[in-house]
Amino acid sequence: LPYFPFPDHFPDFVSAQDLADYYEGVAAHMSEHIRFGVEVVSVELRQLKLPGGGGKTAAKVKLASGETYNAAALVVATGQEGTPYIPKLPGAETFGGKTMHSSEWVSGTEYANKTALVVGFGNSGSEIALDLWEGGATSVTALVRSPIHMLPRDLVVAFKRPFWFARHYFPVWLGDLIATKIVYPLLYSDIEKYGLRLKSTGPGKETIESHKAPVQDLGTYDLIRRGEIDVVASPIARLTKSGAVFEDGTERAFDLLVFATGFDHTGAPHAKFLSKGVVSALGPHPESGRAAVAPALFLTGFSDHSGRLGEIAFESEAIAAEL
């Protein structure tokens, strides 16, 4: 975050615990400016333009306690993940194993000697499949229906670091061309043999337009190549007491179903305290920065151009300077 660099002893890929400790430290340092344990229930925005609003109220913020704040500007930094989405499947009530959404995931060691199906193969799905294998699961299967974008994690970072500094100048099409015409043929020419397919469109364009980052492979694909993780493409037709029946007629037994199926952004749950008109104008995937719908409204933590945390650092300083 701006003005709070990571400690020197942090590794390049920060652990969840390190990141949590870092945030706790920032919050402790800023404690006199932060109120915890409060809920915003509504916001009334007025069309005052900033800067130049002076002491006038542009945002009237109401809390669940009944208190109100009158502010010259409002910055929404609640994130965009929304409500976990789990598809409704016939027979779900009969399944005798455990089901969960990827947002509930803790550790693969909890499922040693279990058989698991991971539905979905974005970053969460691919890493959970890897974690299950490392945790000692008897078998791990990934259900991957659609083509994907995938790059080795170190390569993603190598591209993102220069892109972060030249985010408005680096042509996305060039990075996409390198990925699809050079990297994919070199690293994944045999991918269809293992049940996966790559998209022909570029990963950068999709990240910006759909907020879907490419799979940053940590070793899952190597396990798929070795036959340690299985891949199926057929959708689930129904669940049974012992597992799942797929639409191709095959049936498999599973102790665990993990749905790495994303989030429902309908109605912008990240900003449910805003009026319906503002929520509708922002759309399900708003971009960070000043909101066109209301000059006193700013967003941060919603863009993915070069990684969410990197973008937050960039946006926070820009928004603070504008305010």
Side-chain angles (χ1 to χ4, degrees):
L1 294 173
Y3 320 115
F4 292 94
F6 280 161
D8 291 339
H9 67 270
F10 272 19
D12 283 344
F13 301 105
V14 180
S15 71
Q17 188 59 57
D18 281 345
L19 190 61
D21 292 343
Y22 166 80
Y23 283 145
E24 291 283 0
V26 173
H29 184 80
M30 300 287 293
S31 60
E32 64 180 281
H33 301 287
I34 301 174
R35 284 193 61 185
F36 294 100
V38 297
E39 179 186 0
V40 175
V41 293
S42 67
V43 172
E44 177 187 338
L45 290 167
R46 300 171 186 172
Q47 296 296 315
L48 297 181
K49 294 183 179 180
L50 295 176
K56 296 181 180 179
T57 298
K60 186 174 183 180
V61 181
K62 185 177 181 180
L63 306 183
S65 63
E67 296 175 82
T68 59
Y69 279 94
N70 294 319
L74 175 70
V75 180
V76 175
T78 50
Q80 67 169 7
E81 302 317 329
T83 305
Y85 171 72
I86 295 180
K88 295 181 179 179
L89 296 171
E93 69 283 354
T94 67
F95 180 59
K98 182 174 182 177
T99 62
M100 66 167 63
H101 187 264
S102 57
S103 59
E104 304 171 74
W105 186 254
V106 177
S107 172
T109 57
E110 298 180 22
Y111 307 102
N113 303 314
K114 302 290 185 181
T115 56
L117 173 66
V118 181
V119 182
F121 201 74
N123 278 297
S124 295
S126 65
E127 291 185 25
I128 287 172
L130 175 62
D131 196 26
L132 281 163
W133 180 84
E134 291 180 337
T138 303
S139 71
V140 182
T141 302
L143 197 168
V144 191
R145 293 175 53 185
S146 305
I148 61 171
H149 283 300
M150 183 164 63
L151 295 165
R153 182 174 66 175
D154 290 340
L155 189 61
V156 172
V157 173
F159 273 100
K160 279 188 173 182
R161 281 175 176 161
F163 183 33
W164 189 86
F165 289 105
R167 61 195 296 273
H168 293 298
Y169 309 102
F170 187 85
V172 175
W173 65 264
L174 180 58
D176 285 346
L177 189 67
I178 293 171
T180 57
K181 301 301 182 183
I182 299 176
V183 177
Y184 284 2
L186 282 175
L187 299 182
Y188 306 120
S189 60
D190 60 346
I191 198 167
E192 293 191 12
K193 183 165 68 173
Y194 303 103
L196 298 172
R197 292 174 293 153
L198 292 172
K199 293 181 178 180
S200 57
T201 56
K205 185 173 187 291
E206 182 169 280
T207 298
I208 293 172
E209 293 183 352
S210 305
H211 295 264
K212 293 181 179 179
V215 174
Q216 299 182 33
D217 182 36
L218 311 182
T220 308
Y221 184 55
D222 184 53
L223 292 175
I224 291 172
R225 273 183 169 142
R226 287 159 42 188
E228 302 283 354
I229 294 177
D230 193 20
V231 174
V232 296
S234 181
I236 297 173
R238 59 185 173 88
L239 297 180
T240 65
K241 183 177 181 180
S242 60
V245 176
F246 297 91
E247 289 185 4
D248 63 6
T250 59
E251 182 174 356
R252 298 194 185 196
F254 299 107
D255 302 309
L256 172 69
L257 300 179
V258 182
F259 290 93
T261 43
F263 297 82
D264 182 2
H265 299 279
T266 304
H270 52 268
K272 59 185 178 182
F273 44 81
L274 297 174
S275 68
K276 290 183 178 179
V278 171
V279 169
S280 177
L282 289 175
H285 297 294
E287 285 291 327
S288 298
R290 184 196 287 268
V293 64
L297 176 64
F298 297 80
L299 306 174
T300 183
F302 292 82
S303 296
D304 304 272
H305 301 261
S306 55
R308 189 70 56 83
L309 292 180
E311 289 292 327
I312 289 170
F314 179 91
E315 297 156 1
S316 298
E317 290 195 63
I319 291 172
E322 188 166 354
L323 291 177

